PDB file of all heavy atoms in Angstrom:
ATOM      1  N   LEU A   1       2.479  13.938  -5.681  1.00  0.00           N
ATOM      2  CA  LEU A   1       1.912  13.416  -7.016  1.00  0.00           C
ATOM      3  C   LEU A   1       2.252  11.980  -7.133  1.00  0.00           C
ATOM      4  O   LEU A   1       1.438  11.084  -7.498  1.00  0.00           O
ATOM      5  CB  LEU A   1       2.300  14.317  -8.105  1.00  0.00           C
ATOM      6  CG  LEU A   1       1.639  13.938  -9.515  1.00  0.00           C
ATOM      7  CD1 LEU A   1       0.196  14.118  -9.451  1.00  0.00           C
ATOM      8  CD2 LEU A   1       2.245  14.849 -10.608  1.00  0.00           C
ATOM      9  N   ASP A   2       3.523  11.641  -6.972  1.00  0.00           N
ATOM     10  CA  ASP A   2       4.052  10.325  -7.043  1.00  0.00           C
ATOM     11  C   ASP A   2       3.292   9.350  -6.116  1.00  0.00           C
ATOM     12  O   ASP A   2       2.937   8.236  -6.468  1.00  0.00           O
ATOM     13  CB  ASP A   2       5.541  10.198  -6.908  1.00  0.00           C
ATOM     14  CG  ASP A   2       6.274  10.931  -8.016  1.00  0.00           C
ATOM     15  OD1 ASP A   2       5.569  11.083  -9.213  1.00  0.00           O
ATOM     16  OD2 ASP A   2       7.410  11.272  -7.834  1.00  0.00           O
ATOM     17  N   LYS A   3       3.129   9.741  -4.822  1.00  0.00           N
ATOM     18  CA  LYS A   3       2.452   8.958  -3.831  1.00  0.00           C
ATOM     19  C   LYS A   3       1.007   8.811  -4.209  1.00  0.00           C
ATOM     20  O   LYS A   3       0.517   7.676  -3.957  1.00  0.00           O
ATOM     21  CB  LYS A   3       2.596   9.618  -2.477  1.00  0.00           C
ATOM     22  CG  LYS A   3       4.031   9.541  -1.905  1.00  0.00           C
ATOM     23  CD  LYS A   3       4.048  10.096  -0.485  1.00  0.00           C
ATOM     24  CE  LYS A   3       5.398  10.034   0.074  1.00  0.00           C
ATOM     25  NZ  LYS A   3       5.541  10.545   1.416  1.00  0.00           N
ATOM     26  N   GLY A   4       0.355   9.750  -4.823  1.00  0.00           N
ATOM     27  CA  GLY A   4      -1.046   9.699  -5.246  1.00  0.00           C
ATOM     28  C   GLY A   4      -1.067   8.628  -6.419  1.00  0.00           C
ATOM     29  O   GLY A   4      -2.082   7.739  -6.403  1.00  0.00           O
ATOM     30  N   LEU A   5      -0.245   8.574  -7.348  1.00  0.00           N
ATOM     31  CA  LEU A   5      -0.188   7.651  -8.422  1.00  0.00           C
ATOM     32  C   LEU A   5       0.180   6.287  -7.889  1.00  0.00           C
ATOM     33  O   LEU A   5      -0.522   5.258  -8.270  1.00  0.00           O
ATOM     34  CB  LEU A   5       0.853   8.077  -9.521  1.00  0.00           C
ATOM     35  CG  LEU A   5       0.502   9.267 -10.298  1.00  0.00           C
ATOM     36  CD1 LEU A   5       1.651   9.651 -11.205  1.00  0.00           C
ATOM     37  CD2 LEU A   5      -0.806   9.061 -11.176  1.00  0.00           C
ATOM     38  N   TYR A   6       1.019   6.262  -6.912  1.00  0.00           N
ATOM     39  CA  TYR A   6       1.422   4.866  -6.343  1.00  0.00           C
ATOM     40  C   TYR A   6       0.182   4.228  -5.629  1.00  0.00           C
ATOM     41  O   TYR A   6      -0.030   3.101  -5.863  1.00  0.00           O
ATOM     42  CB  TYR A   6       2.594   5.105  -5.357  1.00  0.00           C
ATOM     43  CG  TYR A   6       3.155   3.837  -4.836  1.00  0.00           C
ATOM     44  CD1 TYR A   6       3.762   2.903  -5.646  1.00  0.00           C
ATOM     45  CD2 TYR A   6       3.057   3.563  -3.351  1.00  0.00           C
ATOM     46  CE1 TYR A   6       4.307   1.765  -5.037  1.00  0.00           C
ATOM     47  CE2 TYR A   6       3.624   2.401  -2.881  1.00  0.00           C
ATOM     48  CZ  TYR A   6       4.284   1.497  -3.773  1.00  0.00           C
ATOM     49  OH  TYR A   6       4.764   0.361  -3.193  1.00  0.00           O
ATOM     50  N   ALA A   7      -0.508   5.084  -4.875  1.00  0.00           N
ATOM     51  CA  ALA A   7      -1.701   4.608  -4.140  1.00  0.00           C
ATOM     52  C   ALA A   7      -2.742   4.085  -5.101  1.00  0.00           C
ATOM     53  O   ALA A   7      -3.461   3.109  -4.996  1.00  0.00           O
ATOM     54  CB  ALA A   7      -2.214   5.666  -3.278  1.00  0.00           C
ATOM     55  N   GLY A   8      -2.915   4.801  -6.305  1.00  0.00           N
ATOM     56  CA  GLY A   8      -3.886   4.400  -7.201  1.00  0.00           C
ATOM     57  C   GLY A   8      -3.566   3.069  -7.956  1.00  0.00           C
ATOM     58  O   GLY A   8      -4.367   2.221  -8.197  1.00  0.00           O
ATOM     59  N   ILE A   9      -2.184   2.940  -8.216  1.00  0.00           N
ATOM     60  CA  ILE A   9      -1.800   1.608  -8.710  1.00  0.00           C
ATOM     61  C   ILE A   9      -2.047   0.451  -7.834  1.00  0.00           C
ATOM     62  O   ILE A   9      -2.471  -0.645  -8.202  1.00  0.00           O
ATOM     63  CB  ILE A   9      -0.347   1.685  -9.188  1.00  0.00           C
ATOM     64  CG1 ILE A   9      -0.133   2.798 -10.359  1.00  0.00           C
ATOM     65  CG2 ILE A   9       0.175   0.328  -9.627  1.00  0.00           C
ATOM     66  CD1 ILE A   9       1.312   3.013 -10.709  1.00  0.00           C
ATOM     67  N   ILE A  10      -1.744   0.659  -6.606  1.00  0.00           N
ATOM     68  CA  ILE A  10      -1.919  -0.411  -5.551  1.00  0.00           C
ATOM     69  C   ILE A  10      -3.373  -0.770  -5.482  1.00  0.00           C
ATOM     70  O   ILE A  10      -3.754  -1.969  -5.450  1.00  0.00           O
ATOM     71  CB  ILE A  10      -1.403   0.078  -4.212  1.00  0.00           C
ATOM     72  CG1 ILE A  10       0.159   0.141  -4.261  1.00  0.00           C
ATOM     73  CG2 ILE A  10      -1.814  -0.948  -3.130  1.00  0.00           C
ATOM     74  CD1 ILE A  10       0.780   0.596  -2.975  1.00  0.00           C
ATOM     75  N   GLY A  11      -4.254   0.215  -5.410  1.00  0.00           N
ATOM     76  CA  GLY A  11      -5.690   0.038  -5.329  1.00  0.00           C
ATOM     77  C   GLY A  11      -6.206  -0.650  -6.602  1.00  0.00           C
ATOM     78  O   GLY A  11      -7.027  -1.616  -6.397  1.00  0.00           O
ATOM     79  N   PHE A  12      -5.665  -0.275  -7.749  1.00  0.00           N
ATOM     80  CA  PHE A  12      -6.115  -0.976  -8.915  1.00  0.00           C
ATOM     81  C   PHE A  12      -5.755  -2.513  -8.923  1.00  0.00           C
ATOM     82  O   PHE A  12      -6.612  -3.321  -9.371  1.00  0.00           O
ATOM     83  CB  PHE A  12      -5.406  -0.207 -10.179  1.00  0.00           C
ATOM     84  CG  PHE A  12      -5.984  -0.771 -11.486  1.00  0.00           C
ATOM     85  CD1 PHE A  12      -7.098  -0.461 -12.007  1.00  0.00           C
ATOM     86  CD2 PHE A  12      -5.088  -1.596 -12.263  1.00  0.00           C
ATOM     87  CE1 PHE A  12      -7.609  -0.842 -13.183  1.00  0.00           C
ATOM     88  CE2 PHE A  12      -5.551  -2.037 -13.520  1.00  0.00           C
ATOM     89  CZ  PHE A  12      -6.742  -1.668 -13.954  1.00  0.00           C
ATOM     90  N   VAL A  13      -4.466  -2.733  -8.461  1.00  0.00           N
ATOM     91  CA  VAL A  13      -4.002  -4.141  -8.490  1.00  0.00           C
ATOM     92  C   VAL A  13      -4.819  -4.969  -7.467  1.00  0.00           C
ATOM     93  O   VAL A  13      -5.320  -6.144  -7.788  1.00  0.00           O
ATOM     94  CB  VAL A  13      -2.603  -4.207  -8.125  1.00  0.00           C
ATOM     95  CG1 VAL A  13      -2.071  -5.666  -7.887  1.00  0.00           C
ATOM     96  CG2 VAL A  13      -1.790  -3.596  -9.171  1.00  0.00           C
ATOM     97  N   LEU A  14      -5.160  -4.385  -6.290  1.00  0.00           N
ATOM     98  CA  LEU A  14      -6.056  -5.092  -5.380  1.00  0.00           C
ATOM     99  C   LEU A  14      -7.393  -5.352  -5.827  1.00  0.00           C
ATOM    100  O   LEU A  14      -8.008  -6.409  -5.660  1.00  0.00           O
ATOM    101  CB  LEU A  14      -6.143  -4.343  -4.004  1.00  0.00           C
ATOM    102  CG  LEU A  14      -4.705  -4.164  -3.215  1.00  0.00           C
ATOM    103  CD1 LEU A  14      -4.895  -3.228  -2.070  1.00  0.00           C
ATOM    104  CD2 LEU A  14      -4.265  -5.596  -2.813  1.00  0.00           C
ATOM    105  N   ILE A  15      -7.980  -4.499  -6.666  1.00  0.00           N
ATOM    106  CA  ILE A  15      -9.310  -4.572  -7.137  1.00  0.00           C
ATOM    107  C   ILE A  15      -9.319  -5.787  -8.121  1.00  0.00           C
ATOM    108  O   ILE A  15     -10.225  -6.600  -8.219  1.00  0.00           O
ATOM    109  CB  ILE A  15      -9.696  -3.321  -7.869  1.00  0.00           C
ATOM    110  CG1 ILE A  15     -10.129  -2.197  -6.817  1.00  0.00           C
ATOM    111  CG2 ILE A  15     -11.004  -3.560  -8.787  1.00  0.00           C
ATOM    112  CD1 ILE A  15     -10.353  -0.888  -7.405  1.00  0.00           C
ATOM    113  N   ILE A  16      -8.265  -5.857  -9.009  1.00  0.00           N
ATOM    114  CA  ILE A  16      -8.135  -6.894  -9.980  1.00  0.00           C
ATOM    115  C   ILE A  16      -8.050  -8.239  -9.265  1.00  0.00           C
ATOM    116  O   ILE A  16      -8.718  -9.281  -9.629  1.00  0.00           O
ATOM    117  CB  ILE A  16      -6.967  -6.716 -10.869  1.00  0.00           C
ATOM    118  CG1 ILE A  16      -7.178  -5.503 -11.799  1.00  0.00           C
ATOM    119  CG2 ILE A  16      -6.600  -7.911 -11.694  1.00  0.00           C
ATOM    120  CD1 ILE A  16      -5.958  -5.160 -12.656  1.00  0.00           C
ATOM    121  N   ILE A  17      -7.213  -8.385  -8.156  1.00  0.00           N
ATOM    122  CA  ILE A  17      -7.097  -9.669  -7.451  1.00  0.00           C
ATOM    123  C   ILE A  17      -8.419 -10.031  -6.852  1.00  0.00           C
ATOM    124  O   ILE A  17      -8.791 -11.265  -6.989  1.00  0.00           O
ATOM    125  CB  ILE A  17      -6.040  -9.455  -6.364  1.00  0.00           C
ATOM    126  CG1 ILE A  17      -4.654  -9.272  -7.000  1.00  0.00           C
ATOM    127  CG2 ILE A  17      -5.970 -10.714  -5.459  1.00  0.00           C
ATOM    128  CD1 ILE A  17      -3.516  -8.913  -6.006  1.00  0.00           C
ATOM    129  N   PHE A  18      -9.110  -9.045  -6.199  1.00  0.00           N
ATOM    130  CA  PHE A  18     -10.435  -9.486  -5.593  1.00  0.00           C
ATOM    131  C   PHE A  18     -11.462  -9.897  -6.706  1.00  0.00           C
ATOM    132  O   PHE A  18     -12.095 -10.878  -6.503  1.00  0.00           O
ATOM    133  CB  PHE A  18     -10.903  -8.160  -4.848  1.00  0.00           C
ATOM    134  CG  PHE A  18     -12.339  -8.427  -4.405  1.00  0.00           C
ATOM    135  CD1 PHE A  18     -12.643  -9.191  -3.315  1.00  0.00           C
ATOM    136  CD2 PHE A  18     -13.382  -7.839  -5.068  1.00  0.00           C
ATOM    137  CE1 PHE A  18     -13.938  -9.436  -2.855  1.00  0.00           C
ATOM    138  CE2 PHE A  18     -14.736  -8.124  -4.670  1.00  0.00           C
ATOM    139  CZ  PHE A  18     -15.023  -8.859  -3.529  1.00  0.00           C
ATOM    140  N   MET A  19     -11.531  -9.262  -7.780  1.00  0.00           N
ATOM    141  CA  MET A  19     -12.548  -9.530  -8.793  1.00  0.00           C
ATOM    142  C   MET A  19     -12.308 -10.917  -9.424  1.00  0.00           C
ATOM    143  O   MET A  19     -13.160 -11.676  -9.584  1.00  0.00           O
ATOM    144  CB  MET A  19     -12.598  -8.457  -9.861  1.00  0.00           C
ATOM    145  CG  MET A  19     -13.083  -7.136  -9.450  1.00  0.00           C
ATOM    146  SD  MET A  19     -14.809  -7.059  -8.796  1.00  0.00           S
ATOM    147  CE  MET A  19     -15.692  -7.367 -10.302  1.00  0.00           C
ATOM    148  N   MET A  20     -11.066 -11.178  -9.694  1.00  0.00           N
ATOM    149  CA  MET A  20     -10.727 -12.461 -10.308  1.00  0.00           C
ATOM    150  C   MET A  20     -10.813 -13.618  -9.368  1.00  0.00           C
ATOM    151  O   MET A  20     -11.156 -14.761  -9.802  1.00  0.00           O
ATOM    152  CB  MET A  20      -9.306 -12.499 -10.923  1.00  0.00           C
ATOM    153  CG  MET A  20      -9.170 -11.455 -11.967  1.00  0.00           C
ATOM    154  SD  MET A  20      -7.439 -11.498 -12.895  1.00  0.00           S
ATOM    155  CE  MET A  20      -7.673 -13.132 -13.663  1.00  0.00           C
ATOM    156  N   SER A  21     -10.535 -13.420  -8.105  1.00  0.00           N
ATOM    157  CA  SER A  21     -10.699 -14.511  -7.130  1.00  0.00           C
ATOM    158  C   SER A  21     -12.033 -14.732  -6.669  1.00  0.00           C
ATOM    159  O   SER A  21     -12.407 -15.873  -6.464  1.00  0.00           O
ATOM    160  CB  SER A  21      -9.815 -14.205  -5.811  1.00  0.00           C
ATOM    161  OG  SER A  21     -10.357 -13.007  -5.230  1.00  0.00           O
ATOM    162  N   TYR A  22     -12.985 -13.754  -6.770  1.00  0.00           N
ATOM    163  CA  TYR A  22     -14.344 -13.973  -6.274  1.00  0.00           C
ATOM    164  C   TYR A  22     -15.291 -14.271  -7.398  1.00  0.00           C
ATOM    165  O   TYR A  22     -16.213 -15.050  -7.247  1.00  0.00           O
ATOM    166  CB  TYR A  22     -14.823 -12.700  -5.573  1.00  0.00           C
ATOM    167  CG  TYR A  22     -16.140 -12.901  -4.860  1.00  0.00           C
ATOM    168  CD1 TYR A  22     -16.231 -13.601  -3.716  1.00  0.00           C
ATOM    169  CD2 TYR A  22     -17.337 -12.310  -5.432  1.00  0.00           C
ATOM    170  CE1 TYR A  22     -17.539 -13.700  -3.051  1.00  0.00           C
ATOM    171  CE2 TYR A  22     -18.503 -12.417  -4.819  1.00  0.00           C
ATOM    172  CZ  TYR A  22     -18.668 -13.216  -3.637  1.00  0.00           C
ATOM    173  OH  TYR A  22     -19.842 -13.328  -3.011  1.00  0.00           O
ATOM    174  N   TYR A  23     -15.068 -13.634  -8.522  1.00  0.00           N
ATOM    175  CA  TYR A  23     -16.035 -13.745  -9.673  1.00  0.00           C
ATOM    176  C   TYR A  23     -15.522 -14.664 -10.842  1.00  0.00           C
ATOM    177  O   TYR A  23     -16.135 -14.789 -11.844  1.00  0.00           O
ATOM    178  CB  TYR A  23     -16.421 -12.420 -10.230  1.00  0.00           C
ATOM    179  CG  TYR A  23     -17.399 -11.542  -9.373  1.00  0.00           C
ATOM    180  CD1 TYR A  23     -16.827 -10.519  -8.568  1.00  0.00           C
ATOM    181  CD2 TYR A  23     -18.720 -11.889  -9.215  1.00  0.00           C
ATOM    182  CE1 TYR A  23     -17.737  -9.826  -7.695  1.00  0.00           C
ATOM    183  CE2 TYR A  23     -19.507 -11.225  -8.435  1.00  0.00           C
ATOM    184  CZ  TYR A  23     -19.056 -10.203  -7.680  1.00  0.00           C
ATOM    185  OH  TYR A  23     -19.830  -9.452  -6.813  1.00  0.00           O
ATOM    186  N   ARG A  24     -14.287 -15.197 -10.679  1.00  0.00           N
ATOM    187  CA  ARG A  24     -13.749 -16.083 -11.607  1.00  0.00           C
ATOM    188  C   ARG A  24     -13.727 -15.568 -13.073  1.00  0.00           C
ATOM    189  O   ARG A  24     -13.022 -14.516 -13.334  1.00  0.00           O
ATOM    190  CB  ARG A  24     -14.402 -17.403 -11.601  1.00  0.00           C
ATOM    191  CG  ARG A  24     -14.604 -18.040 -10.198  1.00  0.00           C
ATOM    192  CD  ARG A  24     -13.272 -18.428  -9.783  1.00  0.00           C
ATOM    193  NE  ARG A  24     -13.275 -18.990  -8.320  1.00  0.00           N
ATOM    194  CZ  ARG A  24     -13.476 -20.206  -8.088  1.00  0.00           C
ATOM    195  NH1 ARG A  24     -13.625 -21.110  -9.037  1.00  0.00           N
ATOM    196  NH2 ARG A  24     -13.510 -20.626  -6.787  1.00  0.00           N
ATOM    197  N   GLY A  25     -14.391 -16.161 -13.982  1.00  0.00           N
ATOM    198  CA  GLY A  25     -14.343 -15.634 -15.431  1.00  0.00           C
ATOM    199  C   GLY A  25     -14.964 -14.262 -15.461  1.00  0.00           C
ATOM    200  O   GLY A  25     -14.540 -13.453 -16.323  1.00  0.00           O
ATOM    201  N   LEU A  26     -15.999 -13.928 -14.739  1.00  0.00           N
ATOM    202  CA  LEU A  26     -16.563 -12.615 -14.806  1.00  0.00           C
ATOM    203  C   LEU A  26     -15.470 -11.574 -14.339  1.00  0.00           C
ATOM    204  O   LEU A  26     -15.386 -10.421 -14.887  1.00  0.00           O
ATOM    205  CB  LEU A  26     -17.795 -12.570 -13.938  1.00  0.00           C
ATOM    206  CG  LEU A  26     -19.065 -13.366 -14.319  1.00  0.00           C
ATOM    207  CD1 LEU A  26     -20.158 -13.190 -13.355  1.00  0.00           C
ATOM    208  CD2 LEU A  26     -19.471 -12.923 -15.722  1.00  0.00           C
ATOM    209  N   GLY A  27     -14.709 -11.959 -13.386  1.00  0.00           N
ATOM    210  CA  GLY A  27     -13.671 -11.041 -12.797  1.00  0.00           C
ATOM    211  C   GLY A  27     -12.586 -10.761 -13.904  1.00  0.00           C
ATOM    212  O   GLY A  27     -12.064  -9.632 -13.995  1.00  0.00           O
ATOM    213  N   LEU A  28     -12.370 -11.759 -14.754  1.00  0.00           N
ATOM    214  CA  LEU A  28     -11.360 -11.635 -15.768  1.00  0.00           C
ATOM    215  C   LEU A  28     -11.939 -10.549 -16.801  1.00  0.00           C
ATOM    216  O   LEU A  28     -11.182  -9.653 -17.290  1.00  0.00           O
ATOM    217  CB  LEU A  28     -11.093 -12.896 -16.479  1.00  0.00           C
ATOM    218  CG  LEU A  28     -10.093 -12.874 -17.721  1.00  0.00           C
ATOM    219  CD1 LEU A  28      -8.787 -12.337 -17.333  1.00  0.00           C
ATOM    220  CD2 LEU A  28      -9.917 -14.258 -18.272  1.00  0.00           C
ATOM    221  N   ILE A  29     -13.165 -10.718 -17.204  1.00  0.00           N
ATOM    222  CA  ILE A  29     -13.707  -9.830 -18.133  1.00  0.00           C
ATOM    223  C   ILE A  29     -13.877  -8.377 -17.506  1.00  0.00           C
ATOM    224  O   ILE A  29     -13.663  -7.454 -18.205  1.00  0.00           O
ATOM    225  CB  ILE A  29     -15.182 -10.291 -18.497  1.00  0.00           C
ATOM    226  CG1 ILE A  29     -15.057 -11.658 -19.301  1.00  0.00           C
ATOM    227  CG2 ILE A  29     -15.950  -9.221 -19.293  1.00  0.00           C
ATOM    228  CD1 ILE A  29     -16.325 -12.219 -19.657  1.00  0.00           C
ATOM    229  N   SER A  30     -14.177  -8.294 -16.194  1.00  0.00           N
ATOM    230  CA  SER A  30     -14.139  -7.043 -15.523  1.00  0.00           C
ATOM    231  C   SER A  30     -12.817  -6.394 -15.504  1.00  0.00           C
ATOM    232  O   SER A  30     -12.670  -5.192 -15.752  1.00  0.00           O
ATOM    233  CB  SER A  30     -14.648  -7.263 -14.152  1.00  0.00           C
ATOM    234  OG  SER A  30     -14.582  -6.040 -13.408  1.00  0.00           O
TER     235      SER A  30
END
């Protein structure tokens, strides 16, 4: 269970980094 949550947090952070670097202001709103 802990590993599943850990994987979810890592995926969430990577999504945020990609959206903000590619879509700029739109990524922040996303």
Side-chain angles (χ1 to χ4, degrees):
L1 184 62
D2 291 340
K3 288 183 177 179
L5 290 174
Y6 185 65
I9 293 173
I10 292 177
F12 185 74
V13 172
L14 292 176
I15 289 173
I16 291 176
I17 293 174
F18 170 78
M19 294 298 290
M20 294 188 65
S21 61
Y22 188 77
Y23 287 103
R24 306 298 178 88
L26 295 178
L28 177 61
I29 294 176
S30 175

